């Protein structure tokens, strides 16, 4: 089944809502606001590809966090499959955080 652009947009919004429920255990801010999600691609068939990073390559949740993201996104209605790519290029830095995240961490 092919989805319309509007349906894809709705799926995308739902995915972002779900991503905002996933937290880096060391920082009290969700991974979306932290800027750890580099890209979310959704095909017409609702196959999702997420490109994300971690705050550091040696992050203690390097094994569990990507799996948690994949599992939660897979539960979004109409999502057919989730392909998650972990990258460290470009490496994450605090400039990638949203204004909200910087404010919450007292950086503004």
């Amino acid at each position: 089944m092919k989805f319309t652009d509007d349906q894809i947009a709705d799926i995308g919004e739902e995915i972002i809502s779900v991503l905002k429920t996933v937290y880096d255990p060391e920082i009290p801010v969700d991974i979306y606001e932290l800027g750890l999600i580099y890209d979310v691609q959704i095909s017409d068939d609702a196959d999702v590809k997420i490109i994300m990073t971690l705050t550091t390559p040696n992050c203690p949740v390097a094994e569990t966090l990507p799996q948690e993201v994949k599992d939660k996104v897979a539960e979004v209605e109409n999502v057919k499959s989730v392909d998650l790519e972990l990258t460290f290029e470009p490496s994450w830095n605090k400039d990638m955080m949203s204004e909200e995240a910087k404010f919450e961490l007292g950086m503004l």
Side-chain angles (χ1 to χ4, degrees):
M1 172 178 160
K2 299 276 185 211
F3 290 95
T4 66
D5 288 348
D6 285 347
Q7 288 171 313
I8 296 285
D10 289 344
I11 293 169
E13 283 178 31
E14 189 62 34
I15 289 170
I16 289 167
S17 295
V18 166
L19 293 173
K20 288 184 176 189
T21 69
V22 180
Y23 286 80
D24 184 300
E26 296 174 356
I27 308 170
V29 176
D30 69 76
I31 61 170
Y32 189 81
E33 297 295 341
L34 276 177
L36 298 181
I37 303 297
Y38 286 172
D39 198 12
V40 176
Q41 301 163 2
I42 308 166
S43 75
D44 292 348
D45 296 325
D47 290 310
V48 177
K49 178 167 185 178
I50 296 174
I51 300 171
M52 69 173 287
T53 192
L54 300 170
T55 49
T56 66
N58 308 336
C59 181
V61 292
E63 293 300 311
T64 56
L65 194 64
Q67 190 60 51
E68 181 183 354
V69 168
K70 196 171 176 178
D71 291 346
K72 285 191 171 180
V73 171
E75 290 171 14
V76 171
E77 191 177 352
N78 294 322
V79 166
K80 187 172 159 193
S81 70
V82 182
D83 175 27
L84 190 137
E85 182 181 321
L86 198 56
T87 183
F88 292 99
E89 293 296 322
S91 53
W92 180 85
N93 66 67
K94 59 188 178 196
D95 293 337
M96 295 167 150
M97 292 168 32
S98 70
E99 295 292 312
E100 181 183 326
K102 289 177 184 172
F103 180 78
E104 280 183 40
L105 296 174
M107 296 167 65
L108 286 181

